[in-house]
PDB file of all heavy atoms in Angstrom:
ATOM      1  N   VAL A 124       5.398   2.485   4.116  1.00  0.00           N
ATOM      2  CA  VAL A 124       5.303   3.944   4.175  1.00  0.00           C
ATOM      3  C   VAL A 124       6.353   4.505   5.128  1.00  0.00           C
ATOM      4  O   VAL A 124       6.975   5.534   4.852  1.00  0.00           O
ATOM      5  CB  VAL A 124       3.883   4.363   4.613  1.00  0.00           C
ATOM      6  CG1 VAL A 124       3.770   5.881   4.725  1.00  0.00           C
ATOM      7  CG2 VAL A 124       2.846   3.835   3.631  1.00  0.00           C
ATOM      8  N   GLU A 125       6.580   3.816   6.244  1.00  0.00           N
ATOM      9  CA  GLU A 125       7.590   4.279   7.203  1.00  0.00           C
ATOM     10  C   GLU A 125       8.980   4.278   6.569  1.00  0.00           C
ATOM     11  O   GLU A 125       9.768   5.210   6.751  1.00  0.00           O
ATOM     12  CB  GLU A 125       7.568   3.374   8.432  1.00  0.00           C
ATOM     13  CG  GLU A 125       8.557   3.761   9.522  1.00  0.00           C
ATOM     14  CD  GLU A 125       8.161   5.026  10.258  1.00  0.00           C
ATOM     15  OE1 GLU A 125       7.047   5.532  10.048  1.00  0.00           O
ATOM     16  OE2 GLU A 125       8.985   5.512  11.051  1.00  0.00           O
ATOM     17  N   THR A 126       9.289   3.232   5.805  1.00  0.00           N
ATOM     18  CA  THR A 126      10.577   3.172   5.116  1.00  0.00           C
ATOM     19  C   THR A 126      10.718   4.318   4.125  1.00  0.00           C
ATOM     20  O   THR A 126      11.795   4.927   4.000  1.00  0.00           O
ATOM     21  CB  THR A 126      10.715   1.826   4.392  1.00  0.00           C
ATOM     22  OG1 THR A 126      10.583   0.759   5.334  1.00  0.00           O
ATOM     23  CG2 THR A 126      12.066   1.706   3.705  1.00  0.00           C
ATOM     24  N   ALA A 127       9.640   4.632   3.417  1.00  0.00           N
ATOM     25  CA  ALA A 127       9.688   5.728   2.444  1.00  0.00           C
ATOM     26  C   ALA A 127       9.879   7.075   3.126  1.00  0.00           C
ATOM     27  O   ALA A 127      10.472   7.987   2.538  1.00  0.00           O
ATOM     28  CB  ALA A 127       8.412   5.730   1.600  1.00  0.00           C
ATOM     29  N   ARG A 128       9.383   7.238   4.362  1.00  0.00           N
ATOM     30  CA  ARG A 128       9.589   8.508   5.069  1.00  0.00           C
ATOM     31  C   ARG A 128      11.077   8.762   5.311  1.00  0.00           C
ATOM     32  O   ARG A 128      11.533   9.906   5.264  1.00  0.00           O
ATOM     33  CB  ARG A 128       8.856   8.485   6.410  1.00  0.00           C
ATOM     34  CG  ARG A 128       7.382   8.753   6.328  1.00  0.00           C
ATOM     35  CD  ARG A 128       6.768   9.051   7.671  1.00  0.00           C
ATOM     36  NE  ARG A 128       5.316   9.052   7.555  1.00  0.00           N
ATOM     37  CZ  ARG A 128       4.556   8.002   7.841  1.00  0.00           C
ATOM     38  NH1 ARG A 128       5.108   6.900   8.301  1.00  0.00           N
ATOM     39  NH2 ARG A 128       3.256   8.071   7.679  1.00  0.00           N
ATOM     40  N   TYR A 129      11.820   7.719   5.588  1.00  0.00           N
ATOM     41  CA  TYR A 129      13.254   7.899   5.828  1.00  0.00           C
ATOM     42  C   TYR A 129      13.971   8.415   4.581  1.00  0.00           C
ATOM     43  O   TYR A 129      15.050   9.013   4.675  1.00  0.00           O
ATOM     44  CB  TYR A 129      13.884   6.583   6.284  1.00  0.00           C
ATOM     45  CG  TYR A 129      13.613   6.270   7.734  1.00  0.00           C
ATOM     46  CD1 TYR A 129      12.755   5.249   8.103  1.00  0.00           C
ATOM     47  CD2 TYR A 129      14.216   7.003   8.755  1.00  0.00           C
ATOM     48  CE1 TYR A 129      12.489   4.961   9.435  1.00  0.00           C
ATOM     49  CE2 TYR A 129      13.961   6.724  10.088  1.00  0.00           C
ATOM     50  CZ  TYR A 129      13.104   5.702  10.426  1.00  0.00           C
ATOM     51  OH  TYR A 129      12.849   5.436  11.743  1.00  0.00           O
ATOM     52  N   ASN A 130      13.385   8.181   3.404  1.00  0.00           N
ATOM     53  CA  ASN A 130      13.982   8.712   2.181  1.00  0.00           C
ATOM     54  C   ASN A 130      14.004  10.236   2.200  1.00  0.00           C
ATOM     55  O   ASN A 130      14.922  10.869   1.675  1.00  0.00           O
ATOM     56  CB  ASN A 130      13.196   8.210   0.973  1.00  0.00           C
ATOM     57  CG  ASN A 130      14.082   7.887  -0.205  1.00  0.00           C
ATOM     58  OD1 ASN A 130      15.262   7.568  -0.051  1.00  0.00           O
ATOM     59  ND2 ASN A 130      13.533   7.958  -1.382  1.00  0.00           N
ATOM     60  N   LEU A 131      12.977  10.857   2.803  1.00  0.00           N
ATOM     61  CA  LEU A 131      12.951  12.312   2.929  1.00  0.00           C
ATOM     62  C   LEU A 131      14.084  12.795   3.828  1.00  0.00           C
ATOM     63  O   LEU A 131      14.692  13.839   3.575  1.00  0.00           O
ATOM     64  CB  LEU A 131      11.608  12.758   3.503  1.00  0.00           C
ATOM     65  CG  LEU A 131      10.357  12.307   2.743  1.00  0.00           C
ATOM     66  CD1 LEU A 131       9.107  12.697   3.511  1.00  0.00           C
ATOM     67  CD2 LEU A 131      10.330  12.908   1.357  1.00  0.00           C
ATOM     68  N   VAL A 132      14.383  12.029   4.868  1.00  0.00           N
ATOM     69  CA  VAL A 132      15.483  12.390   5.768  1.00  0.00           C
ATOM     70  C   VAL A 132      16.818  12.209   5.056  1.00  0.00           C
ATOM     71  O   VAL A 132      17.742  13.024   5.222  1.00  0.00           O
ATOM     72  CB  VAL A 132      15.421  11.546   7.048  1.00  0.00           C
ATOM     73  CG1 VAL A 132      16.534  11.932   8.011  1.00  0.00           C
ATOM     74  CG2 VAL A 132      14.066  11.712   7.731  1.00  0.00           C
ATOM     75  N   LEU A 133      16.942  11.162   4.241  1.00  0.00           N
ATOM     76  CA  LEU A 133      18.174  10.958   3.469  1.00  0.00           C
ATOM     77  C   LEU A 133      18.431  12.134   2.532  1.00  0.00           C
ATOM     78  O   LEU A 133      19.570  12.589   2.383  1.00  0.00           O
ATOM     79  CB  LEU A 133      18.077   9.662   2.660  1.00  0.00           C
ATOM     80  CG  LEU A 133      18.079   8.342   3.444  1.00  0.00           C
ATOM     81  CD1 LEU A 133      17.974   7.161   2.491  1.00  0.00           C
ATOM     82  CD2 LEU A 133      19.337   8.216   4.287  1.00  0.00           C
ATOM     83  N   ALA A 134      17.383  12.622   1.886  1.00  0.00           N
ATOM     84  CA  ALA A 134      17.538  13.775   0.999  1.00  0.00           C
ATOM     85  C   ALA A 134      17.994  14.999   1.775  1.00  0.00           C
ATOM     86  O   ALA A 134      18.793  15.802   1.273  1.00  0.00           O
ATOM     87  CB  ALA A 134      16.223  14.058   0.270  1.00  0.00           C
ATOM     88  N   GLN A 135      17.517  15.152   3.004  1.00  0.00           N
ATOM     89  CA  GLN A 135      17.943  16.282   3.823  1.00  0.00           C
ATOM     90  C   GLN A 135      19.429  16.181   4.171  1.00  0.00           C
ATOM     91  O   GLN A 135      20.154  17.176   4.127  1.00  0.00           O
ATOM     92  CB  GLN A 135      17.108  16.333   5.104  1.00  0.00           C
ATOM     93  CG  GLN A 135      17.418  17.532   5.996  1.00  0.00           C
ATOM     94  CD  GLN A 135      16.700  17.447   7.331  1.00  0.00           C
ATOM     95  OE1 GLN A 135      16.233  16.383   7.730  1.00  0.00           O
ATOM     96  NE2 GLN A 135      16.622  18.566   8.034  1.00  0.00           N
ATOM     97  N   THR A 136      19.902  14.982   4.488  1.00  0.00           N
ATOM     98  CA  THR A 136      21.329  14.822   4.796  1.00  0.00           C
ATOM     99  C   THR A 136      22.193  15.117   3.577  1.00  0.00           C
ATOM    100  O   THR A 136      23.283  15.679   3.711  1.00  0.00           O
ATOM    101  CB  THR A 136      21.614  13.396   5.297  1.00  0.00           C
ATOM    102  OG1 THR A 136      21.298  12.439   4.279  1.00  0.00           O
ATOM    103  CG2 THR A 136      20.789  13.083   6.540  1.00  0.00           C
ATOM    104  N   ASP A 137      21.719  14.752   2.387  1.00  0.00           N
ATOM    105  CA  ASP A 137      22.487  15.051   1.174  1.00  0.00           C
ATOM    106  C   ASP A 137      22.569  16.553   0.932  1.00  0.00           C
ATOM    107  O   ASP A 137      23.582  17.054   0.421  1.00  0.00           O
ATOM    108  CB  ASP A 137      21.851  14.358  -0.034  1.00  0.00           C
ATOM    109  CG  ASP A 137      22.490  13.013  -0.330  1.00  0.00           C
ATOM    110  OD1 ASP A 137      23.492  12.680   0.329  1.00  0.00           O
ATOM    111  OD2 ASP A 137      21.989  12.290  -1.206  1.00  0.00           O
ATOM    112  N   THR A 138      21.524  17.283   1.265  1.00  0.00           N
ATOM    113  CA  THR A 138      21.555  18.740   1.102  1.00  0.00           C
ATOM    114  C   THR A 138      22.619  19.352   2.000  1.00  0.00           C
ATOM    115  O   THR A 138      23.379  20.236   1.575  1.00  0.00           O
ATOM    116  CB  THR A 138      20.176  19.338   1.424  1.00  0.00           C
ATOM    117  OG1 THR A 138      19.199  18.769   0.546  1.00  0.00           O
ATOM    118  CG2 THR A 138      20.182  20.842   1.241  1.00  0.00           C
ATOM    119  N   VAL A 139      22.683  18.909   3.233  1.00  0.00           N
ATOM    120  CA  VAL A 139      23.703  19.419   4.155  1.00  0.00           C
ATOM    121  C   VAL A 139      25.093  19.034   3.668  1.00  0.00           C
ATOM    122  O   VAL A 139      26.038  19.833   3.708  1.00  0.00           O
ATOM    123  CB  VAL A 139      23.448  18.885   5.573  1.00  0.00           C
ATOM    124  CG1 VAL A 139      24.545  19.333   6.531  1.00  0.00           C
ATOM    125  CG2 VAL A 139      22.096  19.358   6.086  1.00  0.00           C
ATOM    126  N   ARG A 140      25.245  17.810   3.192  1.00  0.00           N
ATOM    127  CA  ARG A 140      26.546  17.344   2.700  1.00  0.00           C
ATOM    128  C   ARG A 140      26.999  18.166   1.497  1.00  0.00           C
ATOM    129  O   ARG A 140      28.161  18.578   1.413  1.00  0.00           O
ATOM    130  CB  ARG A 140      26.442  15.861   2.325  1.00  0.00           C
ATOM    131  CG  ARG A 140      27.713  15.252   1.741  1.00  0.00           C
ATOM    132  CD  ARG A 140      27.485  13.792   1.377  1.00  0.00           C
ATOM    133  NE  ARG A 140      28.616  13.246   0.649  1.00  0.00           N
ATOM    134  CZ  ARG A 140      29.683  12.688   1.202  1.00  0.00           C
ATOM    135  NH1 ARG A 140      29.759  12.615   2.514  1.00  0.00           N
ATOM    136  NH2 ARG A 140      30.672  12.222   0.464  1.00  0.00           N
ATOM    137  N   ALA A 141      26.090  18.416   0.555  1.00  0.00           N
ATOM    138  CA  ALA A 141      26.454  19.180  -0.638  1.00  0.00           C
ATOM    139  C   ALA A 141      26.804  20.618  -0.287  1.00  0.00           C
ATOM    140  O   ALA A 141      27.685  21.223  -0.917  1.00  0.00           O
ATOM    141  CB  ALA A 141      25.311  19.141  -1.646  1.00  0.00           C
ATOM    142  N   ALA A 142      26.136  21.198   0.721  1.00  0.00           N
ATOM    143  CA  ALA A 142      26.445  22.569   1.116  1.00  0.00           C
ATOM    144  C   ALA A 142      27.854  22.688   1.679  1.00  0.00           C
ATOM    145  O   ALA A 142      28.463  23.762   1.640  1.00  0.00           O
ATOM    146  CB  ALA A 142      25.436  23.054   2.159  1.00  0.00           C
ATOM    147  N   GLY A 143      28.406  21.580   2.198  1.00  0.00           N
ATOM    148  CA  GLY A 143      29.758  21.601   2.725  1.00  0.00           C
ATOM    149  C   GLY A 143      30.825  21.257   1.711  1.00  0.00           C
ATOM    150  O   GLY A 143      32.014  21.195   2.062  1.00  0.00           O
ATOM    151  N   GLY A 144      30.425  20.983   0.460  1.00  0.00           N
ATOM    152  CA  GLY A 144      31.411  20.652  -0.563  1.00  0.00           C
ATOM    153  C   GLY A 144      31.528  19.170  -0.826  1.00  0.00           C
ATOM    154  O   GLY A 144      32.523  18.721  -1.410  1.00  0.00           O
ATOM    155  N   GLY A 145      30.513  18.374  -0.439  1.00  0.00           N
ATOM    156  CA  GLY A 145      30.523  16.945  -0.698  1.00  0.00           C
ATOM    157  C   GLY A 145      29.596  16.572  -1.837  1.00  0.00           C
ATOM    158  O   GLY A 145      28.726  17.351  -2.228  1.00  0.00           O
ATOM    159  N   ASN A 146      29.802  15.381  -2.372  1.00  0.00           N
ATOM    160  CA  ASN A 146      28.872  14.895  -3.386  1.00  0.00           C
ATOM    161  C   ASN A 146      27.648  14.306  -2.695  1.00  0.00           C
ATOM    162  O   ASN A 146      27.589  14.208  -1.467  1.00  0.00           O
ATOM    163  CB  ASN A 146      29.547  13.857  -4.284  1.00  0.00           C
ATOM    164  CG  ASN A 146      30.147  12.704  -3.485  1.00  0.00           C
ATOM    165  OD1 ASN A 146      29.924  12.582  -2.277  1.00  0.00           O
ATOM    166  ND2 ASN A 146      30.898  11.856  -4.146  1.00  0.00           N
ATOM    167  N   VAL A 147      26.646  13.941  -3.480  1.00  0.00           N
ATOM    168  CA  VAL A 147      25.428  13.371  -2.911  1.00  0.00           C
ATOM    169  C   VAL A 147      25.544  11.852  -2.929  1.00  0.00           C
ATOM    170  O   VAL A 147      26.137  11.269  -3.829  1.00  0.00           O
ATOM    171  CB  VAL A 147      24.179  13.824  -3.692  1.00  0.00           C
ATOM    172  CG1 VAL A 147      23.967  15.313  -3.544  1.00  0.00           C
ATOM    173  CG2 VAL A 147      24.287  13.461  -5.164  1.00  0.00           C
ATOM    174  N   ARG A 148      24.968  11.219  -1.926  1.00  0.00           N
ATOM    175  CA  ARG A 148      25.036   9.763  -1.822  1.00  0.00           C
ATOM    176  C   ARG A 148      23.824   9.070  -2.406  1.00  0.00           C
ATOM    177  O   ARG A 148      23.788   7.840  -2.469  1.00  0.00           O
ATOM    178  CB  ARG A 148      25.224   9.372  -0.356  1.00  0.00           C
ATOM    179  CG  ARG A 148      26.536   9.880   0.224  1.00  0.00           C
ATOM    180  CD  ARG A 148      26.717   9.480   1.671  1.00  0.00           C
ATOM    181  NE  ARG A 148      26.690   8.038   1.835  1.00  0.00           N
ATOM    182  CZ  ARG A 148      26.799   7.417   3.015  1.00  0.00           C
ATOM    183  NH1 ARG A 148      26.930   8.147   4.126  1.00  0.00           N
ATOM    184  NH2 ARG A 148      26.765   6.119   3.095  1.00  0.00           N
TER     185      ARG A 148
END
Side-chain angles (χ1 to χ4, degrees):
V124 178
E125 181 72 8
T126 302
R128 280 194 191 96
Y129 282 109
N130 218 26
L131 304 174
V132 181
L133 291 180
Q135 183 187 17
T136 62
D137 265 354
T138 301
V139 177
R140 178 181 172 88
N146 55 9
V147 294
R148 297 180 59 181

